[in-house]
Amino acid sequence: MKMLVILYTGDNPRFVPDFLSKRSCPWTEFVGGIGQGQHHRHDGSRTFPGETMMTVSILEEGVCQDLSKDLRAASVGLSSSDRLHMAVLPVEQFA
């Protein structure tokens, strides 16, 4: 099993949930993330607009690999100001 962690900052907050739902993947979303990215701060204020949405999905390893590749390809169509980052982590136990 793998955990796919997706961080998205941009103008299309439904991009990741819709992508995962269309593929019948389970997901949990954490809205309102603030912090300092590689490009700039994002803390939901007028000075540093934008928030990061974190979406987590626990998947079989092969599904996770295919999904992350497809998500990366789909992100090419996003606005140049949008940011999408992914991490794949091992899952020792999920019950």
Side-chain angles (χ1 to χ4, degrees):
M1 301 290 287
K2 297 289 184 178
M3 177 188 291
L4 179 61
V5 179
I6 305 163
L7 302 174
Y8 172 80
T9 303
D11 297 329
N12 186 0
R14 297 296 317 155
F15 175 72
V16 174
D18 288 349
F19 183 90
L20 296 174
S21 293
K22 287 177 186 174
R23 286 151 182 82
S24 300
C25 292
W27 54 272
T28 301
E29 185 175 75
F30 303 89
V31 180
I34 59 172
Q36 173 71 41
Q38 291 181 347
H39 301 284
H40 55 80
R41 281 184 59 137
H42 39 89
D43 61 11
S45 70
R46 293 169 79 194
T47 305
F48 300 107
E51 294 180 340
T52 297
M53 297 169 54
M54 181 174 74
T55 307
V56 176
S57 185
I58 307 295
L59 305 160
E60 294 293 333
E61 185 169 353
V63 173
C64 186
Q65 289 174 350
D66 292 343
L67 188 71
S68 61
K69 185 185 343 174
D70 292 347
L71 184 56
R72 179 65 59 206
S75 72
V76 171
L78 292 172
S79 167
S80 62
S81 63
D82 291 4
R83 299 286 178 249
L84 180 84
H85 301 286
M86 291 182 284
V88 176
L89 307 168
V91 174
E92 292 184 26
Q93 181 179 347
F94 184 72

